Amino acid sequence: MANKRFFVIDFDSTFTKVEALDVLSDILYEGTDKKEEIGSKIKELTDQAMAGELSFREALEQRLALLDATKKDVDQLSSELKKLVSESVKRNKAFFSQEKDNVLIVSSGFKDFIAPVVKDFGIKEENIYANTFTYNDKDEVTGFDASNPLSEHKGKVKLMEELSLDGEVLVIGDGYTDYEIREAGLAKTFYAFTENIKREKVLAKADVEASSFDEILYSIKHPMATSFPKSKIKVLLLENIHKDAKQKLEDEGYQVELLGGALDEDELCEKIKGVHILGIRSKTMLTRKVVEAADRLMLVGAFCIGTNQIDLQACTDHGVSVFNAPFSNTRSVVEMAIGEIILLMRQIPRRMRQMDRGEWSKSANGSFEVRGKKLGIIGYGNIGSQLSILAEMLGMDVYYYDVVEKLALGNATKLNSLDQLLSTCDVVSLHVDGRAENKGYFTGEHIAKMKKGAILVNLARGPVVELEALQQALQSGHLAGAAIDVFPVEPKNNNDTFDAPLKDVDNLILTPHIGGSTLEAQENIADFVPGKMIEYVNTGSSFNSVNFPNVQLPRLENGHRMLHIHKNVSGILAQMNNVFAKHGCNILGQYLKTNEDIGYVITDIDQTYQPELLEDLRSIDNTIKFRTLY
Ligand SMILES: NC(=O)c1ccc[n+]([C@@H]2O[C@H](COP(=O)([O-])OP(=O)(O)OC[C@H]3O[C@@H](n4cnc5c(N)ncnc54)[C@H](O)[C@@H]3O)[C@@H](O)[C@H]2O)c1
């Protein structure tokens, strides 16, 4: 029979984030002037005992003497502690119930408040070893059961000697008393648990430092280990991505490196080694060579809207999912469109130029309110539809045309032909996407079909509008004005010069592709993209991925999730299910989606599996990437 393995786990500051007696002191003295004084005295005594500087029994007696608790207070303490369970313990809840025969809580704390907390995790009552309070007939705590070995100096060692566990013992805790078990030869490995507190004296004695439970499970190759402990996930953020993004990813437990600028191809090929998650903006060229140089890369976050800088095909071929922030700056673009429409209708750009030339032209000629005017939106996507709402709030009459069926918002009117829109509207605003067919889409012919005196706005894509034809229409007076934010050729950076394509036109607004450039949009992006990254790592959800089949997955509470990315050839699902059947796995749920290139299969199973299952899944022909979540 295989050697049994026991997990001996401390409670205070290990299973929970806190020392329970500190919390009890807060409960008892909340709102009184004793709170600070007693609280710090208790902390001091706890630290002295944990660091081995004060005998345990002495520390316990002194601490209890400071606390005037009743059974009701102890019950309240349990409720508080349930909210303060360590994050990695919560994440690995399934491990505790699955290993319930082998998990022992060994604590110098009190079973009275420990049991309700750990039992929620499936830990057996008889495996909880801790002190117990004594109460009088008024349910007031009078002391503790002094015959319990855990109330004594080196109590954990005495208890472990009595238990004499037959198997391999791993001790996990933050205190010196946990190390003593290992020192006495009663455990194979002592894991100094540092998720909540790092005690240097204890760390110095550790066989292994573990900053989370994930790391412990991973290091012993436990079948319930997450495919990778979060603290080992490396994130590289380039191009000075907003600091909130770094914070969000660090809060999740990842190691994050943030660099100020972009890297060139060779630098990135070097730097990307060992990186699991890459975050870039528009200047980093993620070429096939870089993707091929990456040895751990699972996902790329583009902290911007466009993904032209990324070789999406190379990412897909290597099972790297790419996310961007498609609507983080939608509102910013819409506000700019609204502002420009109002300015153009009032001839403000013309008036400003006249003022610059020293001309005073106080006249209402050609100036209109936007109220009651007809706005035609071409492309009723994220931006177009939001513009529809805001324009309507200003009193405009909204019409739209889209190549696909889109729900009309508010009182907007859907038109079935572009010509109809052009001949109806006073303002035409383009919000189509960058698909290849849209290059040169809006020609002189379309401009000619617009109403005389109409206005054209393009904040979508540079190559969409024929600028020469627009120039002629503005000069001839067929159009009354235009706003252009995007150009067929744009400078690569702010140091390059720009040769304005439209000249000698007065009622014109030219801007350097700043439709979405606001600080709010940057903040939204810094929130949205890390959110997508974390969701993909934690659940496998690829919803909103630019290059992966989109699958939205629930978080799996109990069981294991296997994520299989493969070339889109027939028969893979059948082969996978043969492997699950061969290993006797019960499938709880299975999700499959494919695109032209790849298939993405997510399978949830409910019982422990042998490592050979993973090998068998990995070795299915045409597998690109495979990972397990729990
Ligand atoms: N100026 C800026 O700084 C800035 C900022 C953000 C986005 N953009 C650009 O704005 C555009 C719209 O962005 P979005 O987020 O609303 O995109 P989206 O994908 O949500 O919407 C595009 C819509 O256009 C429709 N469409 C595509 N081709 C069409 C055509 N030929 N005729 C009619 N409808 C067509 C699509 O069906 C879709 O509904 C994009 O081109 C984007 O690159 C510019």
Side-chain angles (χ1 to χ4, degrees), residues 75-205:
D75 290 344
Q76 192 184 336
L77 173 60
S78 304
S79 312
E80 289 301 315
L81 292 174
K82 283 184 184 193
K83 296 178 217 154
L84 295 168
V85 171
S86 297
E87 293 301 328
S88 70
V89 170
K90 279 195 265 177
R91 276 203 296 275
N92 291 290
K93 193 169 182 183
F95 159 81
F96 293 96
S97 50
Q98 187 165 2
E99 288 277 6
K100 59 179 179 294
D101 293 328
N102 308 320
V103 169
L104 284 72
I105 300 293
V106 174
S107 164
S108 319
F110 288 82
K111 198 165 175 178
D112 310 58
F113 54 74
I114 294 175
V117 179
V118 303
K119 273 157 75 180
D120 281 358
F121 286 72
I123 293 169
K124 289 177 161 177
E125 170 94 37
E126 65 262 35
N127 284 355
I128 306 169
Y129 296 92
N131 284 300
T132 45
F133 287 125
T134 51
Y135 297 92
N136 62 19
D137 53 7
K138 288 190 206 128
D139 277 348
E140 291 162 344
V141 174
T142 53
F144 53 88
D145 171 11
S147 68
N148 186 330
L150 286 166
S151 68
E152 294 170 30
H153 179 54
K154 296 223 175 193
K156 289 191 178 181
V157 174
K158 288 196 183 77
L159 176 96
M160 292 297 291
E161 278 169 351
E162 279 175 23
L163 289 177
S164 167
L165 298 172
D166 184 14
E168 178 186 318
V169 176
L170 311 183
V171 179
I172 300 159
D174 61 291
Y176 199 83
T177 54
D178 304 305
Y179 159 66
E180 284 174 345
I181 300 173
R182 160 85 169 86
E183 186 189 29
L186 295 162
K188 180 172 171 254
T189 314
F190 167 53
Y191 289 88
F193 192 74
T194 55
E195 182 169 324
N196 306 304
I197 186 162
K198 218 177 214 183
R199 303 180 202 275
E200 290 308 330
K201 203 168 160 193
V202 177
L203 209 50
K205 299 289 186 187

Side-chain angles (χ1 to χ4, degrees), residues 1 4 177 275 299 327-328 348 390 447 507 533 572:
M1 207 179 110
K4 248 189 143 173
T177 54
V275 167
L299 79 99
F327 29 72
S328 295
I348 303 291
L390 293 200
I447 293 172
N507 205 25
M533 291 171 161
I572 302 262

